[in-house]
Amino acid sequence: MKTFWLTSMLYLAVQNLSTETLIPTMTRGRKTRSNDVPTQRMKHFLDVWMEGDAWLKEALSSMQITSYMQLVDLLKDPNTVNSIKNRKDNGTEEDIRSEDAAKLRCCLSFANHLQMREGPITDGLVDITTVDADEFNNFYIMAIPFVTYDDTAATERKSKREFLEAKTAAVLAQKTVQPGTQGVPSVGATANSQTSTTSTANSRELEAFRKNIKMDASTYPILADDAAWHAFNQEWTALCVLYQIKDVLEPNYIPPLDKVDLFKAHQSFLMTVMMAKIKTTRGKEIVRSHVANNNAQAAWKDLVEYYRGP
């Protein structure tokens, strides 16, 4: 009997971890009674992200949707969401507006997106109550397809984030200037000597970049699904900032004369990475259209315009 009870408890624990509703017993950074977590989530969905829509609350109440679990089950199916109705004072029924239906379902999609960005639910449930309506609306207007929680992808994203944090710390440590390692130029230095110094520094920077190019390429994320663009863009940009090649992502950037060769190397590198990492149908078409000119800057500009819209 004792063994049966233990087995049953383990089974329920596994079910709770694998469910798409994402309800562990505590949130990241602060402990919470398990019953409070779903209550807080449902309240945040309706009062903050849906801006306290009274019509919607009344409709859900008439459907006897009173718990977060019930709400999540409802939001999983777009047809069920679109079928939400509310009874008017005159006794007739009124359908939910299509925009409100899409926005309501987006609440669960956004919660899943936030969790995927943070890491696996086994590390703790992301606290969505810290995310206001403005950030939710920004996500909603991007019209990203519904995001389903994926534990494997969340774990991989966490690992990459930790790698970036460690890499950033290492880069900052290397940039720390040690006493006596840099000379102070004399007041009477000529323009020619300054140009020579700049050229030498640029050559060294270019050489250092080329030495590290293979290591850097392997850390870039893959874009295999249009719906993943938002998270992909964040990670891709963060890496470019880390490796000091973010200028390629700036559509209006023109390198100064002493940086032309370095910028060309950055473009060649990023174009190679794009060809290897961007797997969506439209994404590959955009990248290939700029391969002949080796113009990663223009390719990225077109990618951003396509995925963000006008």
Side-chain angles (χ1 to χ4, degrees):
M1 185 67 172
K2 190 172 184 179
T3 302
F4 174 77
W5 179 84
L6 212 47
T7 302
S8 300
M9 292 301 291
L10 287 172
Y11 173 79
L12 289 174
V14 171
Q15 291 300 307
N16 285 335
L17 285 177
S18 63
T19 183
E20 202 174 61
T21 58
L22 310 177
I23 308 177
T25 57
M26 66 179 66
T27 56
R28 179 176 296 278
R30 66 183 174 90
K31 294 183 178 180
T32 310
R33 294 197 309 271
S34 59
N35 289 338
D36 286 343
V37 176
T39 300
Q40 290 170 1
R41 283 199 149 213
M42 184 170 183
K43 182 176 176 60
H44 200 71
F45 275 19
L46 301 179
D47 289 346
V48 180
W49 292 350
M50 293 303 296
E51 302 176 3
D53 190 319
W55 187 98
L56 177 61
K57 287 184 177 181
E58 184 178 341
L60 292 175
S61 177
S62 67
M63 297 172 64
Q64 298 184 339
I65 304 296
T66 58
S67 71
Y68 180 69
M69 294 283 288
Q70 292 173 325
L71 180 59
V72 167
D73 287 338
L74 173 71
L75 299 184
K76 288 177 184 177
D77 184 1
N79 293 325
T80 306
V81 176
N82 291 328
S83 68
I84 293 176
K85 301 178 185 297
N86 201 2
R87 190 172 296 277
K88 294 183 178 180
D89 293 338
N90 60 9
T92 60
E93 289 186 332
E94 180 182 18
D95 294 329
I96 187 173
R97 295 190 308 166
S98 58
E99 181 180 352
D100 290 338
K103 196 171 182 180
L104 176 60
R105 192 160 188 262
C106 186
C107 289
L108 180 58
S109 177
F110 188 44
N112 288 339
H113 162 75
L114 294 174
Q115 186 67 50
M116 295 276 289
R117 187 176 67 181
E118 183 67 20
I121 60 175
T122 51
D123 287 353
L125 181 65
V126 65
D127 186 2
I128 68 170
T129 63
T130 63
V131 183
D132 62 19
D134 287 339
E135 189 170 348
F136 168 74
N137 286 327
N138 288 337
F139 180 84
Y140 170 69
I141 62 177
M142 291 177 68
I144 295 175
F146 187 85
V147 177
T148 302
Y149 175 77
D150 184 316
D151 194 69
T152 300
T155 301
E156 291 175 353
R157 193 159 297 163
K158 176 194 172 186
S159 298
K160 286 185 177 181
R161 187 180 69 252
E162 290 176 343
F163 168 82
L164 288 176
E165 290 171 352
K167 185 72 175 177
T168 301
V171 170
L172 291 176
Q174 291 174 359
K175 285 187 176 182
T176 302
V177 179
Q178 299 298 328
T181 58
Q182 289 187 338
V184 179
S186 62
V187 176
T190 64
N192 288 336
S193 65
Q194 290 176 349
T195 301
S196 177
T197 301
T198 300
S199 178
T200 300
N202 183 46
S203 297
R204 289 174 180 172
E205 190 176 354
L206 177 58
E207 182 181 358
F209 171 78
R210 285 172 172 162
K211 284 182 179 179
N212 292 321
I213 196 169
K214 290 183 179 179
M215 178 188 70
D216 296 347
S218 65
T219 63
Y220 276 82
I222 293 175
L223 180 65
D225 184 353
D226 290 334
W229 166 258
H230 185 65
F232 167 84
N233 179 32
Q234 289 181 325
E235 190 172 342
W236 186 280
T237 302
L239 279 164
C240 287
V241 171
L242 176 63
Y243 297 138
Q244 301 179 46
I245 60 174
K246 189 175 184 294
D247 288 337
V248 180
L249 308 186
E250 301 295 339
N252 299 320
Y253 174 77
I254 300 175
L257 292 178
D258 63 319
K259 294 285 187 179
V260 169
D261 290 341
L262 180 63
F263 187 66
K264 286 181 179 178
H266 290 173
Q267 290 236 72
S268 296
F269 167 64
L270 211 54
M271 178 59 75
T272 301
V273 179
M274 285 180 178
M275 292 175 65
K277 300 290 186 175
I278 296 179
K279 306 288 188 180
T280 59
T281 301
R282 181 56 183 151
K284 288 191 292 186
E285 291 174 353
I286 290 173
V287 172
R288 287 170 181 166
S289 69
H290 295 284
V291 169
N293 296 326
N294 197 39
N295 197 337
Q297 186 181 38
W300 184 256
K301 177 177 178 291
D302 290 349
L303 284 168
V304 171
E305 288 180 351
Y306 172 74
Y307 282 105
R308 288 187 178 175

